[in-house]
Amino acid sequence: MDKRNRIIAIGLIGIGLLLLSGKWISFFTIVALLLLLLGIYRIRNGDIKKGYIFLGIGAGLIMLDHLILVVAICLISLGLFYGKSKKVQTEDGFIQKTSFMSNFDWDQSPWVIRSMSIWHVLGESDLDLSLGMPEERETVIMFQGVMGDLDLDIPDYYGVEIEAFVLFGSINFDGKKDSGMMNRFTWISPNYSVSDYKVKFIVSYIVGDIDIRLT
């Protein structure tokens, strides 16, 4: 990691931890945590819609009662992003973007597959690799943030590697869904080593919904 990114990452994480060092336990916090736990329980038992409603209400209460806490979480997430981005992007020339809200509709028309690192507070991404035009033989695409919704379609002629983590939410891989808390998923396509074009996806959200389909 270069010196500038290292300083930014350490600074953001440090500020976030300082903000978190205060006392956050209150009646609203307890209610919010109970709603979050209830939401996770509902999702794990198949009641997806109600589960996400409870998660949303719980998150909303935390935001209303602890705005500084939310800011701290965002700063820590952003600091971790800067630290990880330079580590996973080993080649120069990659795109790095940070924003409050982002939306990528890369499933409607041809798009250029290039190495990039994206961070957002709220993000929705729809990617269809069959419409992608690779810029290089090997590409790393990283999505990270607070809340995100990712839909990814993978054709069989690409070599694809996936590392995905969702603290709260679900990961659905070709019809097999894991929901709840601390979901982690890794996968490498069988043809990865012999593929002419390889794409690695690194996805990490605090609250997220990831859908991966093989086409």
Short mmCIF file of all heavy atoms in Angstrom, two decimals, residues 150-196:
data_model
loop_
_atom_site.label_atom_id
_atom_site.label_comp_id
_atom_site.label_asym_id
_atom_site.label_seq_id
_atom_site.Cartn_x
_atom_site.Cartn_y
_atom_site.Cartn_z
N LEU A 150 -26.20 -6.83 -4.93
CA LEU A 150 -25.42 -7.21 -6.11
C LEU A 150 -26.05 -8.41 -6.80
O LEU A 150 -26.31 -9.44 -6.17
CB LEU A 150 -23.98 -7.55 -5.70
CG LEU A 150 -23.09 -8.15 -6.80
CD1 LEU A 150 -22.80 -7.11 -7.88
CD2 LEU A 150 -21.79 -8.68 -6.22
N ASP A 151 -26.31 -8.27 -8.10
CA ASP A 151 -26.77 -9.37 -8.94
C ASP A 151 -25.70 -9.61 -10.00
O ASP A 151 -25.32 -8.69 -10.73
CB ASP A 151 -28.10 -9.03 -9.62
CG ASP A 151 -29.26 -8.99 -8.64
OD1 ASP A 151 -29.15 -9.61 -7.57
OD2 ASP A 151 -30.26 -8.32 -8.94
N LEU A 152 -25.23 -10.86 -10.09
CA LEU A 152 -24.13 -11.19 -10.99
C LEU A 152 -24.47 -12.42 -11.82
O LEU A 152 -24.79 -13.48 -11.28
CB LEU A 152 -22.86 -11.44 -10.17
CG LEU A 152 -21.62 -11.91 -10.92
CD1 LEU A 152 -21.17 -10.86 -11.93
CD2 LEU A 152 -20.49 -12.21 -9.93
N ASP A 153 -24.41 -12.27 -13.15
CA ASP A 153 -24.62 -13.38 -14.08
C ASP A 153 -23.28 -13.78 -14.68
O ASP A 153 -22.56 -12.93 -15.24
CB ASP A 153 -25.59 -12.99 -15.19
CG ASP A 153 -27.01 -12.77 -14.67
OD1 ASP A 153 -27.41 -13.49 -13.74
OD2 ASP A 153 -27.70 -11.88 -15.19
N ILE A 154 -22.96 -15.08 -14.59
CA ILE A 154 -21.64 -15.57 -15.01
C ILE A 154 -21.79 -16.60 -16.13
O ILE A 154 -22.34 -17.68 -15.90
CB ILE A 154 -20.89 -16.21 -13.83
CG1 ILE A 154 -20.75 -15.20 -12.68
CG2 ILE A 154 -19.53 -16.71 -14.27
CD1 ILE A 154 -20.16 -15.81 -11.42
N PRO A 155 -21.32 -16.30 -17.34
CA PRO A 155 -21.32 -17.31 -18.41
C PRO A 155 -20.20 -18.32 -18.20
O PRO A 155 -19.25 -18.07 -17.45
CB PRO A 155 -21.09 -16.46 -19.67
CG PRO A 155 -20.33 -15.28 -19.18
CD PRO A 155 -20.80 -15.00 -17.79
N ASP A 156 -20.29 -19.45 -18.89
CA ASP A 156 -19.34 -20.53 -18.62
C ASP A 156 -17.98 -20.36 -19.30
O ASP A 156 -17.07 -21.15 -19.08
CB ASP A 156 -19.94 -21.88 -19.03
CG ASP A 156 -20.34 -21.91 -20.50
OD1 ASP A 156 -20.03 -20.95 -21.23
OD2 ASP A 156 -20.97 -22.91 -20.92
N TYR A 157 -17.81 -19.32 -20.13
CA TYR A 157 -16.54 -19.17 -20.84
C TYR A 157 -15.58 -18.21 -20.14
O TYR A 157 -14.49 -17.96 -20.64
CB TYR A 157 -16.77 -18.73 -22.29
CG TYR A 157 -17.72 -17.56 -22.46
CD1 TYR A 157 -17.29 -16.25 -22.32
CD2 TYR A 157 -19.06 -17.80 -22.78
CE1 TYR A 157 -18.16 -15.19 -22.49
CE2 TYR A 157 -19.94 -16.74 -22.95
CZ TYR A 157 -19.49 -15.44 -22.80
OH TYR A 157 -20.36 -14.40 -22.97
N TYR A 158 -15.97 -17.65 -19.01
CA TYR A 158 -15.06 -16.82 -18.22
C TYR A 158 -14.51 -17.63 -17.05
O TYR A 158 -15.20 -18.46 -16.46
CB TYR A 158 -15.78 -15.59 -17.65
CG TYR A 158 -15.82 -14.41 -18.58
CD1 TYR A 158 -17.00 -14.06 -19.23
CD2 TYR A 158 -14.69 -13.63 -18.80
CE1 TYR A 158 -17.06 -12.97 -20.07
CE2 TYR A 158 -14.74 -12.54 -19.65
CZ TYR A 158 -15.92 -12.21 -20.28
OH TYR A 158 -15.97 -11.13 -21.12
N GLY A 159 -13.26 -17.37 -16.71
CA GLY A 159 -12.71 -17.90 -15.47
C GLY A 159 -13.01 -16.91 -14.36
O GLY A 159 -12.58 -15.75 -14.42
N VAL A 160 -13.76 -17.34 -13.36
CA VAL A 160 -14.24 -16.42 -12.34
C VAL A 160 -13.88 -16.93 -10.94
O VAL A 160 -14.03 -18.12 -10.64
CB VAL A 160 -15.77 -16.22 -12.43
CG1 VAL A 160 -16.27 -15.33 -11.30
CG2 VAL A 160 -16.14 -15.63 -13.78
N GLU A 161 -13.42 -16.01 -10.12
CA GLU A 161 -13.17 -16.28 -8.70
C GLU A 161 -13.98 -15.28 -7.89
O GLU A 161 -14.02 -14.10 -8.21
CB GLU A 161 -11.69 -16.16 -8.37
CG GLU A 161 -11.37 -16.44 -6.90
CD GLU A 161 -9.89 -16.33 -6.59
OE1 GLU A 161 -9.10 -16.07 -7.52
OE2 GLU A 161 -9.53 -16.49 -5.40
N ILE A 162 -14.64 -15.78 -6.83
CA ILE A 162 -15.49 -14.92 -6.01
C ILE A 162 -15.13 -15.05 -4.54
O ILE A 162 -14.99 -16.17 -4.03
CB ILE A 162 -16.98 -15.27 -6.20
CG1 ILE A 162 -17.41 -15.07 -7.65
CG2 ILE A 162 -17.86 -14.43 -5.27
CD1 ILE A 162 -18.82 -15.55 -7.94
N GLU A 163 -14.97 -13.91 -3.88
CA GLU A 163 -14.84 -13.85 -2.43
C GLU A 163 -15.91 -12.88 -1.94
O GLU A 163 -15.85 -11.69 -2.24
CB GLU A 163 -13.46 -13.36 -2.01
CG GLU A 163 -12.31 -14.28 -2.38
CD GLU A 163 -10.96 -13.72 -1.96
OE1 GLU A 163 -10.94 -12.66 -1.28
OE2 GLU A 163 -9.94 -14.32 -2.32
N ALA A 164 -16.89 -13.39 -1.20
CA ALA A 164 -18.01 -12.54 -0.77
C ALA A 164 -18.24 -12.69 0.73
O ALA A 164 -18.13 -13.79 1.28
CB ALA A 164 -19.28 -12.91 -1.53
N PHE A 165 -18.56 -11.56 1.36
CA PHE A 165 -18.87 -11.56 2.79
C PHE A 165 -20.00 -10.57 3.06
O PHE A 165 -19.96 -9.43 2.59
CB PHE A 165 -17.65 -11.18 3.63
CG PHE A 165 -17.96 -11.04 5.10
CD1 PHE A 165 -18.11 -12.15 5.90
CD2 PHE A 165 -18.12 -9.78 5.67
CE1 PHE A 165 -18.42 -12.03 7.25
CE2 PHE A 165 -18.42 -9.64 7.01
CZ PHE A 165 -18.57 -10.77 7.81
N VAL A 166 -20.99 -11.02 3.82
CA VAL A 166 -22.10 -10.17 4.23
C VAL A 166 -22.30 -10.37 5.73
O VAL A 166 -22.52 -11.49 6.19
CB VAL A 166 -23.40 -10.53 3.48
CG1 VAL A 166 -24.57 -9.75 4.04
CG2 VAL A 166 -23.25 -10.25 1.99
N LEU A 167 -22.20 -9.27 6.49
CA LEU A 167 -22.39 -9.38 7.94
C LEU A 167 -23.84 -9.70 8.27
O LEU A 167 -24.13 -10.60 9.05
CB LEU A 167 -21.95 -8.09 8.63
CG LEU A 167 -22.01 -8.08 10.15
CD1 LEU A 167 -21.14 -9.19 10.75
CD2 LEU A 167 -21.59 -6.72 10.71
N PHE A 168 -24.77 -8.94 7.69
CA PHE A 168 -26.20 -9.21 7.82
C PHE A 168 -26.78 -9.29 6.41
O PHE A 168 -26.59 -8.39 5.61
CB PHE A 168 -26.92 -8.09 8.59
CG PHE A 168 -26.41 -7.87 9.98
CD1 PHE A 168 -25.59 -6.80 10.26
CD2 PHE A 168 -26.76 -8.73 11.01
CE1 PHE A 168 -25.12 -6.58 11.54
CE2 PHE A 168 -26.30 -8.52 12.29
CZ PHE A 168 -25.47 -7.45 12.56
N GLY A 169 -27.52 -10.37 6.13
CA GLY A 169 -28.15 -10.47 4.82
C GLY A 169 -28.05 -11.86 4.25
O GLY A 169 -28.06 -12.85 4.98
N SER A 170 -27.92 -11.94 2.93
CA SER A 170 -27.96 -13.25 2.27
C SER A 170 -27.03 -13.30 1.07
O SER A 170 -26.75 -12.28 0.44
CB SER A 170 -29.39 -13.58 1.83
OG SER A 170 -29.84 -12.66 0.85
N ILE A 171 -26.57 -14.51 0.78
CA ILE A 171 -25.79 -14.80 -0.42
C ILE A 171 -26.45 -15.98 -1.12
O ILE A 171 -26.59 -17.06 -0.55
CB ILE A 171 -24.33 -15.13 -0.08
CG1 ILE A 171 -23.65 -13.95 0.63
CG2 ILE A 171 -23.56 -15.50 -1.35
CD1 ILE A 171 -22.23 -14.25 1.08
N ASN A 172 -26.87 -15.75 -2.35
CA ASN A 172 -27.55 -16.77 -3.14
C ASN A 172 -26.67 -17.15 -4.32
O ASN A 172 -26.39 -16.32 -5.19
CB ASN A 172 -28.90 -16.23 -3.63
CG ASN A 172 -29.74 -17.30 -4.30
OD1 ASN A 172 -29.23 -18.30 -4.79
ND2 ASN A 172 -31.04 -17.09 -4.34
N PHE A 173 -26.21 -18.40 -4.35
CA PHE A 173 -25.37 -18.86 -5.44
C PHE A 173 -26.10 -19.93 -6.25
O PHE A 173 -26.30 -21.05 -5.77
CB PHE A 173 -24.05 -19.42 -4.92
CG PHE A 173 -23.16 -19.98 -6.00
CD1 PHE A 173 -22.48 -19.13 -6.86
CD2 PHE A 173 -23.02 -21.34 -6.17
CE1 PHE A 173 -21.67 -19.64 -7.87
CE2 PHE A 173 -22.22 -21.86 -7.18
CZ PHE A 173 -21.54 -21.01 -8.03
N ASP A 174 -26.53 -19.54 -7.43
CA ASP A 174 -27.18 -20.47 -8.36
C ASP A 174 -28.30 -21.26 -7.70
O ASP A 174 -28.42 -22.48 -7.87
CB ASP A 174 -26.13 -21.42 -8.95
CG ASP A 174 -26.53 -21.93 -10.34
OD1 ASP A 174 -27.23 -21.20 -11.06
OD2 ASP A 174 -26.13 -23.06 -10.69
N GLY A 175 -29.13 -20.56 -6.93
CA GLY A 175 -30.29 -21.18 -6.30
C GLY A 175 -30.08 -21.67 -4.88
O GLY A 175 -31.05 -22.01 -4.20
N LYS A 176 -28.84 -21.70 -4.41
CA LYS A 176 -28.56 -22.12 -3.04
C LYS A 176 -28.31 -20.88 -2.20
O LYS A 176 -27.34 -20.16 -2.42
CB LYS A 176 -27.35 -23.05 -3.00
CG LYS A 176 -27.56 -24.35 -3.77
CD LYS A 176 -26.32 -25.23 -3.72
CE LYS A 176 -26.53 -26.51 -4.51
NZ LYS A 176 -25.31 -27.37 -4.49
N LYS A 177 -29.19 -20.65 -1.21
CA LYS A 177 -29.18 -19.39 -0.48
C LYS A 177 -28.82 -19.59 0.98
O LYS A 177 -29.34 -20.48 1.65
CB LYS A 177 -30.55 -18.72 -0.58
CG LYS A 177 -30.61 -17.31 -0.06
CD LYS A 177 -31.93 -16.67 -0.44
CE LYS A 177 -31.96 -15.19 -0.10
NZ LYS A 177 -33.20 -14.54 -0.55
N ASP A 178 -27.91 -18.75 1.46
CA ASP A 178 -27.56 -18.69 2.88
C ASP A 178 -27.94 -17.30 3.39
O ASP A 178 -27.49 -16.29 2.85
CB ASP A 178 -26.07 -18.93 3.11
CG ASP A 178 -25.68 -20.38 2.87
OD1 ASP A 178 -26.48 -21.26 3.22
OD2 ASP A 178 -24.58 -20.63 2.34
N SER A 179 -28.75 -17.27 4.44
CA SER A 179 -29.22 -16.00 4.99
C SER A 179 -28.91 -15.93 6.47
O SER A 179 -28.76 -16.94 7.15
CB SER A 179 -30.73 -15.84 4.77
OG SER A 179 -31.07 -15.93 3.41
N GLY A 180 -28.83 -14.69 6.96
CA GLY A 180 -28.61 -14.50 8.38
C GLY A 180 -27.45 -13.58 8.66
O GLY A 180 -27.37 -12.48 8.13
N MET A 181 -26.53 -14.06 9.48
CA MET A 181 -25.44 -13.22 9.96
C MET A 181 -24.09 -13.85 9.63
O MET A 181 -23.92 -15.07 9.68
CB MET A 181 -25.57 -13.03 11.48
CG MET A 181 -24.57 -12.10 12.11
SD MET A 181 -24.91 -11.91 13.88
CE MET A 181 -23.58 -10.80 14.34
N MET A 182 -23.14 -13.01 9.24
CA MET A 182 -21.76 -13.41 8.96
C MET A 182 -21.70 -14.51 7.90
O MET A 182 -21.16 -15.60 8.12
CB MET A 182 -21.05 -13.86 10.24
CG MET A 182 -20.90 -12.75 11.27
SD MET A 182 -19.86 -13.19 12.68
CE MET A 182 -18.25 -13.24 11.87
N ASN A 183 -22.26 -14.21 6.75
CA ASN A 183 -22.22 -15.15 5.63
C ASN A 183 -20.97 -14.91 4.79
O ASN A 183 -20.71 -13.79 4.36
CB ASN A 183 -23.46 -14.98 4.75
CG ASN A 183 -24.72 -15.45 5.44
OD1 ASN A 183 -24.77 -16.55 5.96
ND2 ASN A 183 -25.73 -14.60 5.47
N ARG A 184 -20.23 -15.97 4.57
CA ARG A 184 -19.01 -15.89 3.76
C ARG A 184 -19.09 -16.93 2.65
O ARG A 184 -19.53 -18.07 2.87
CB ARG A 184 -17.78 -16.13 4.63
CG ARG A 184 -16.46 -15.87 3.92
CD ARG A 184 -15.29 -16.10 4.85
NE ARG A 184 -15.31 -15.21 5.98
CZ ARG A 184 -14.82 -13.98 5.97
NH1 ARG A 184 -14.28 -13.50 4.87
NH2 ARG A 184 -14.88 -13.22 7.06
N PHE A 185 -18.65 -16.53 1.45
CA PHE A 185 -18.73 -17.43 0.30
C PHE A 185 -17.50 -17.27 -0.58
O PHE A 185 -17.08 -16.15 -0.89
CB PHE A 185 -19.99 -17.12 -0.52
CG PHE A 185 -20.11 -17.91 -1.79
CD1 PHE A 185 -20.54 -19.22 -1.77
CD2 PHE A 185 -19.78 -17.33 -3.01
CE1 PHE A 185 -20.64 -19.96 -2.94
CE2 PHE A 185 -19.88 -18.06 -4.19
CZ PHE A 185 -20.31 -19.37 -4.15
N THR A 186 -16.90 -18.38 -0.95
CA THR A 186 -15.78 -18.37 -1.90
C THR A 186 -16.05 -19.42 -2.98
O THR A 186 -16.60 -20.49 -2.70
CB THR A 186 -14.44 -18.68 -1.20
OG1 THR A 186 -14.52 -19.97 -0.55
CG2 THR A 186 -14.11 -17.62 -0.16
N TRP A 187 -15.64 -19.10 -4.19
CA TRP A 187 -15.88 -20.01 -5.31
C TRP A 187 -14.92 -19.70 -6.45
O TRP A 187 -14.59 -18.53 -6.70
CB TRP A 187 -17.32 -19.85 -5.79
CG TRP A 187 -17.69 -20.72 -6.96
CD1 TRP A 187 -17.99 -22.06 -6.94
CD2 TRP A 187 -17.83 -20.32 -8.33
NE1 TRP A 187 -18.30 -22.51 -8.20
CE2 TRP A 187 -18.21 -21.46 -9.07
CE3 TRP A 187 -17.67 -19.10 -8.99
CZ2 TRP A 187 -18.43 -21.41 -10.44
CZ3 TRP A 187 -17.88 -19.05 -10.36
CH2 TRP A 187 -18.26 -20.20 -11.07
N ILE A 188 -14.46 -20.75 -7.11
CA ILE A 188 -13.63 -20.62 -8.31
C ILE A 188 -14.22 -21.50 -9.39
O ILE A 188 -14.50 -22.68 -9.15
CB ILE A 188 -12.16 -21.03 -8.03
CG1 ILE A 188 -11.54 -20.15 -6.95
CG2 ILE A 188 -11.34 -20.94 -9.31
CD1 ILE A 188 -10.12 -20.53 -6.60
N SER A 189 -14.43 -20.95 -10.56
CA SER A 189 -15.03 -21.73 -11.64
C SER A 189 -14.09 -22.86 -12.07
O SER A 189 -12.86 -22.71 -12.01
CB SER A 189 -15.34 -20.82 -12.83
OG SER A 189 -14.16 -20.24 -13.34
N PRO A 190 -14.64 -24.00 -12.47
CA PRO A 190 -13.80 -25.16 -12.84
C PRO A 190 -12.81 -24.87 -13.96
O PRO A 190 -11.75 -25.48 -14.03
CB PRO A 190 -14.84 -26.20 -13.28
CG PRO A 190 -16.11 -25.80 -12.60
CD PRO A 190 -16.08 -24.30 -12.55
N ASN A 191 -13.15 -23.92 -14.83
CA ASN A 191 -12.29 -23.63 -15.98
C ASN A 191 -11.34 -22.46 -15.73
O ASN A 191 -10.73 -21.94 -16.66
CB ASN A 191 -13.16 -23.29 -17.20
CG ASN A 191 -14.00 -22.04 -16.97
OD1 ASN A 191 -14.31 -21.69 -15.83
ND2 ASN A 191 -14.38 -21.36 -18.05
N TYR A 192 -11.19 -22.07 -14.47
CA TYR A 192 -10.44 -20.85 -14.16
C TYR A 192 -8.99 -20.91 -14.66
O TYR A 192 -8.50 -19.98 -15.29
CB TYR A 192 -10.44 -20.61 -12.65
CG TYR A 192 -9.80 -19.30 -12.24
CD1 TYR A 192 -10.52 -18.12 -12.27
CD2 TYR A 192 -8.47 -19.25 -11.84
CE1 TYR A 192 -9.94 -16.91 -11.91
CE2 TYR A 192 -7.87 -18.06 -11.48
CZ TYR A 192 -8.61 -16.89 -11.52
OH TYR A 192 -8.02 -15.71 -11.17
N SER A 193 -8.32 -22.02 -14.42
CA SER A 193 -6.89 -22.11 -14.75
C SER A 193 -6.62 -22.10 -16.25
O SER A 193 -5.53 -21.73 -16.69
CB SER A 193 -6.29 -23.37 -14.11
OG SER A 193 -6.93 -24.53 -14.61
N VAL A 194 -7.61 -22.51 -17.05
CA VAL A 194 -7.39 -22.61 -18.50
C VAL A 194 -8.10 -21.49 -19.28
O VAL A 194 -8.01 -21.45 -20.51
CB VAL A 194 -7.87 -23.98 -19.02
CG1 VAL A 194 -7.05 -25.09 -18.39
CG2 VAL A 194 -9.36 -24.19 -18.76
N SER A 195 -8.78 -20.60 -18.58
CA SER A 195 -9.53 -19.54 -19.26
C SER A 195 -8.59 -18.46 -19.78
O SER A 195 -7.61 -18.10 -19.13
CB SER A 195 -10.56 -18.91 -18.32
OG SER A 195 -11.54 -19.85 -17.96
N ASP A 196 -8.93 -17.93 -20.95
CA ASP A 196 -8.16 -16.82 -21.51
C ASP A 196 -8.39 -15.54 -20.72
O ASP A 196 -7.49 -14.71 -20.60
CB ASP A 196 -8.54 -16.61 -22.98
CG ASP A 196 -8.09 -17.76 -23.86
OD1 ASP A 196 -7.07 -18.39 -23.52
OD2 ASP A 196 -8.77 -18.03 -24.87
#
